[in-house]
Amino acid sequence: MDCPGLAAGFLTAILSSSAFLASTWALRRTKGLSPHGLMINAGVLMGVLSLGILALFWAPGLFTRGFFPRLPLLAQAAFFFSLGQTFVFVAQRKVEASRVVPLLGLKLPMLALISVLFLHDSLGPWQFLAIFLAVAAAFLLHHAGKGIPLSSILFVLGGCLSYCLSDLSLNALTRRIAADLGESTLLAALHCTALTYLGVAALALFALCFTRASLTTPAVLRSIPFSVFWIGCIVALNFCFARLGTVHGTLLQNTRGIFTLLLTPLCLAMGCTALETKFTANLFWRRMAAAALVFLAVFVYQLG
């Protein structure tokens, strides 16, 4: 059992949950802040954080040894993340984070299908059972409360597919950096994150040329929590991918549904009422049952 990889997977889930709650809060509490506006603000802020990571963990050969052959992977990771995150932000305008986040479990069967068909990975019966549980949880969640609008489901599916393509690029990029520079997995994960989110910042600055609606003081300040949580999440995710692979890492990441459900009542108690329109005990336990299926899927996957 790879304990560091498993720990990184669960840390990814916790930070990811915090990031999605922070983004829901920002979108619902900030007048005039659109999904693409939040993505622009967060992209620029994460670029600044990435510069800090590079300054703290500088490697002389990062931009010389094998840098240009890695550029396509870097561009793919940055573009597909930006696209996927914008899709999810759009869904979050109408649907609570405690329902959107477990729905992202649909990324798992997409990623497994891509891995088997195009990357020639193999999955055993236990792994397929784990994937089935994750999908069942997503459908159970859909019926835990008022129906999710079809448009929001389509945006979540678009986000899942984009995340899959970004994750595959991130995994390959982390491994390439580790091999080219002879780095540890953790250091390569830090460098992969910093380079990718400098790319995200470049895309955000390009988009900023066409819209400045998000550049208000409240919009920028309320974009900071998501940016900080998400950068930490991606460092942990890259490390997890490099240790366990993308499918297993994604399965661990999907436990974020449980953490989101646990954190939501805490946030409501602290006065962040914009996170949920109505959050009863009955809804909490029904959504918790759906999220627990994903957690069960993690252990089933281990059996294989």
Side-chain angles (χ1 to χ4, degrees):
M1 183 179 292
D2 191 327
C3 292
L6 291 172
F10 286 119
L11 179 61
T12 298
I14 294 170
L15 293 174
S16 177
S17 300
S18 303
F20 281 117
L21 288 169
S23 60
T24 299
W25 172 74
L27 286 167
R28 297 190 175 192
R29 291 296 299 272
T30 311
K31 185 178 180 180
L33 181 60
S34 63
H36 71 271
L38 177 57
M39 189 62 241
I40 290 171
N41 291 346
V44 173
L45 289 168
M46 288 189 288
V48 173
L49 292 172
S50 296
L51 288 174
I53 292 174
L54 286 181
L56 287 172
F57 301 97
W58 177 251
L62 192 59
F63 290 95
T64 53
R65 268 183 269 169
F67 177 71
F68 288 106
R70 293 194 302 266
L71 272 179
L73 288 173
L74 195 157
Q76 290 169 31
F79 173 77
F80 285 117
F81 162 75
S82 300
L83 182 64
Q85 193 63 63
T86 303
F87 283 154
V88 173
F89 284 163
V90 173
Q92 284 180 265
R93 291 293 295 268
K94 295 183 179 180
V95 184
E96 296 90 345
S98 61
R99 303 188 73 192
V100 169
V101 173
L103 266 181
L104 293 175
L106 293 173
K107 185 179 88 171
L108 180 62
M110 290 186 186
L111 188 58
L113 188 63
I114 293 171
S115 298
V116 171
L117 292 181
F118 299 103
L119 302 180
H120 308 294
D121 288 346
S122 60
L123 298 174
W126 287 110
Q127 281 82 12
F128 280 109
L129 176 58
I131 292 168
F132 171 78
L133 290 173
V135 174
F139 282 101
L140 178 60
L141 182 73
H142 177 65
H143 297 286
K146 187 173 69 173
I148 299 174
L150 177 61
S151 60
S152 296
I153 292 176
L154 292 176
F155 277 118
V156 170
L157 290 175
C160 287
L161 180 58
S162 298
Y163 281 157
C164 287
L165 298 174
S166 177
D167 288 350
L168 290 169
S169 301
L170 285 171
N171 186 25
L173 184 59
T174 300
R175 293 175 183 275
R176 288 281 293 275
I177 290 174
D180 291 343
L181 277 67
E183 294 182 343
S184 67
T185 305
L186 178 58
L187 193 56
L190 285 164
H191 286 148
C192 174
T193 302
L195 291 176
T196 299
Y197 284 85
L198 284 176
V200 170
L203 290 172
L205 290 171
F206 177 75
L208 198 58
C209 297
F210 301 95
T211 174
R212 297 182 182 276
S214 63
L215 290 180
T216 64
T217 301
V220 173
L221 290 178
R222 286 175 180 165
S223 301
I224 292 174
F226 169 80
S227 305
V228 173
F229 284 129
W230 193 261
I231 279 288
C233 162
I234 296 301
V235 171
L237 183 63
N238 288 338
F239 179 80
C240 180
F241 280 166
R243 300 282 300 214
L244 303 177
T246 50
V247 176
H248 195 179
T250 297
L251 189 56
L252 287 166
Q253 184 189 28
N254 283 347
T255 61
R256 59 189 166 189
I258 291 180
F259 294 112
T260 303
L261 285 165
L262 293 174
L263 289 171
T264 297
L266 178 62
C267 293
L268 291 174
M270 294 171 63
C272 299
T273 55
L275 293 177
E276 290 277 344
T277 54
K278 186 179 180 181
F279 199 78
T280 64
N282 181 45
L283 280 180
F284 173 81
W285 289 113
R286 287 170 66 186
R287 295 179 191 179
M288 181 62 79
L293 275 179
V294 178
F295 196 72
L296 176 62
V298 172
F299 290 98
V300 171
Y301 193 97
Q302 289 285 332
L303 295 176

